[in-house]
C-alpha cells in the first residue's frame, strides 16, 4: 500500500471549514483513499473514501487531485466534537490485502470555540 | 443497526497468563479484522478472518491467534502475556473485507 504524509497537527475555529491535507504521491491506479478519525478512547470511525472522483457524504467531502497524488478532507462546519486524530489511508482494491488498513500517525485536529 | 461490540472493555492480567477477547461484528458483516494500538507503534493490523478462515495476517508472533465462528463472531487469544502486550485491541468488521471497516471501541488490556 502507498505511503501517506499528513501534517502532525492542525487547528480550526468552530463553525469554520476544516481542510485536512494528505499526500500520497506513490499511489497506484487501483488504490483507494480512505479517511478515518479516532476520538479519544473510541475506536476509529470511517468517514469517507474515494478512487479518483470527489466524494461527499453527510460527514465530509473528499477532494482528490487529478493526478491522485494528494487529497483533502473537508469538514464543512467544524464543531468541538470533530476534535480527533484524522487518518488518511491508501488501500489496494481487492487483491490479498483483505481487511488490512495501514495507519500512519495521522493529523491531530483541534477545534477551538 | 447495532455496531461492532467488543467484550470486555477493560482487562487486567499478569505476565505469563493468557487472554481471550471477543468481537461481535455488525449484522451481515462476514469479515472481521483485529488491530493492536499502542502509544509507541500506533495502530497495527493483526489478522483478518472471513467465513471462519484467516485470510491475512500481520507481523505479530505466534502467541497472537484468532478464530471466527459460523455466525461471524470472532475471538482473539494472546498466550504467555508480556508487559509489551498492554494495548488497546480493536476489532473491525466489513461485508467482505475490502469495503469500509467499522470499528468497535476496543478492549483495553493491561499487563502487570
Amino acid at each position: 500500500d502507498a505511503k501517506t504524509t499528513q501534517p502532525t497537527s492542525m487547528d480550526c475555529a468552530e463553525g469554520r471549514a476544516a481542510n485536512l491535507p494528505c499526500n500520497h504521491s506513490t499511489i497506484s491506479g487501483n488504490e483507494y483513499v480512505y479517511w478515518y478519525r479516532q476520538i479519544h478512547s473510541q475506536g476509529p470511525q470511517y468517514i469517507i473514501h474515494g478512487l479518483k472522483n470527489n466524494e461527499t457524504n453527510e460527514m465530509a467531502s473528499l477532494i482528490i487531485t487529478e493526478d491522485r497524488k494528494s487529497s483533502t478532507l473537508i469538514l464543512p462546519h467544524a464543531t468541538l466534537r470533530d476534535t480527533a486524530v484524522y487518518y488518511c489511508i491508501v488501500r489496494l482494491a481487492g487483491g490479498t490485502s483483505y481487511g488490512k488498513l495501514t495507519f500512519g500517525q495521522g493529523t491531530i485536529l483541534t477545534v477551538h470555540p | 443497526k447495532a455496531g461492532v461490540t467488543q467484550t470486555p472493555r477493560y482487562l487486567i492480567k499478569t505476565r505469563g497468563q493468557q487472554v481471550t477477547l471477543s468481537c461481535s461484528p455488525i449484522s451481515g458483516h462476514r469479515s472481521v479484522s483485529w488491530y493492536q494500538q499502542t502509544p509507541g507503534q500506533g495502530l497495527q493490523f493483526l489478522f483478518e478472518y472471513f467465513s471462519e478462515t484467516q485470510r491475512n495476517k500481520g507481523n505479530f508472533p505466534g502467541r497472537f491467534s484468532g478464530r471466527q465462528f459460523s455466525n461471524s463472531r470472532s475471538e482473539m487469544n494472546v498466550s504467555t502475556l508480556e508487559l509489551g502486550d498492554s494495548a488497546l485491541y480493536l476489532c473491525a468488521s466489513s461485508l467482505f473485507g475490502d469495503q469500509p471497516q467499522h470499528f468497535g471501541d476496543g478492549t483495553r488490556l493491561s499487563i502487570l
Side-chain angles (χ1 to χ4, degrees), chain A residues 34 36 38 41-46 49 87 91-94 96-105, chain B residues 9 31 33 35 37 41-43 45 48 55-56 88 90 96-106:
Chain A
Y34 278 76
Y36 282 79
Q38 187 172 25
S41 298
Q42 296 182 20
Q45 178 188 23
Y46 165 76
H49 75 287
Y87 297 99
R91 186 180 184 202
L92 190 66
T96 57
S97 62
Y98 300 114
K100 181 179 180 181
L101 294 172
T102 302
F103 288 83
Q105 295 306 305
Chain B
R9 287 297 311 277
S31 168
S33 298
Y35 293 80
Q37 185 173 26
Q41 298 297 318
L43 272 151
F45 172 76
E48 187 259 6
R55 294 193 301 185
N56 202 1
L88 180 65
L90 292 156
F96 297 113
D98 58 352
Q99 293 82 25
Q101 294 179 26
H102 299 273
F103 286 77
D105 285 336

Side-chain angles (χ1 to χ4, degrees), chain A:
Chain A
D1 293 336
K3 180 178 169 57
T4 62
T5 304
Q6 299 178 251
T8 303
S9 63
M10 294 183 65
D11 292 325
C12 179
E14 190 176 21
R16 305 298 292 267
N19 297 282
L20 291 92
C22 179
N23 183 286
H24 32 78
S25 58
T26 60
I27 194 170
S28 63
N30 57 350
E31 289 181 311
Y32 283 82
V33 179
Y34 278 76
W35 283 85
Y36 282 79
R37 72 180 182 184
Q38 187 172 25
I39 297 169
H40 185 60
S41 298
Q42 296 182 20
Q45 178 188 23
Y46 165 76
I47 301 173
I48 199 167
H49 75 287
L51 185 63
K52 58 175 79 172
N53 298 320
N54 298 337
E55 302 287 345
T56 296
N57 63 20
E58 65 279 2
M59 287 183 67
S61 295
L62 173 60
I63 309 298
I64 303 174
T65 57
E66 194 168 339
D67 63 7
R68 302 186 69 242
K69 293 184 177 183
S70 65
S71 61
T72 301
L73 178 75
I74 301 172
L75 307 178
H77 305 287
T79 71
L80 299 179
R81 287 178 292 182
D82 291 322
T83 293
V85 180
Y86 286 77
Y87 297 99
C88 170
I89 299 166
V90 172
R91 186 180 184 202
L92 190 66
T96 57
S97 62
Y98 300 114
K100 181 179 180 181
L101 294 172
T102 302
F103 288 83
Q105 295 306 305
T107 296
I108 301 170
L109 174 69
T110 304
V111 181
H112 298 283

Side-chain angles (χ1 to χ4, degrees), chain B residues 56-82:
Chain B
N56 202 1
K57 188 177 188 303
N59 189 25
F60 279 82
R63 300 186 298 107
F64 292 81
S65 63
R67 61 177 176 169
Q68 187 182 33
F69 302 95
S70 58
N71 61 358
S72 294
R73 191 177 70 85
S74 178
E75 291 180 346
M76 68 163 283
N77 183 276
V78 187
S79 63
T80 319
L81 287 165
E82 301 177 359

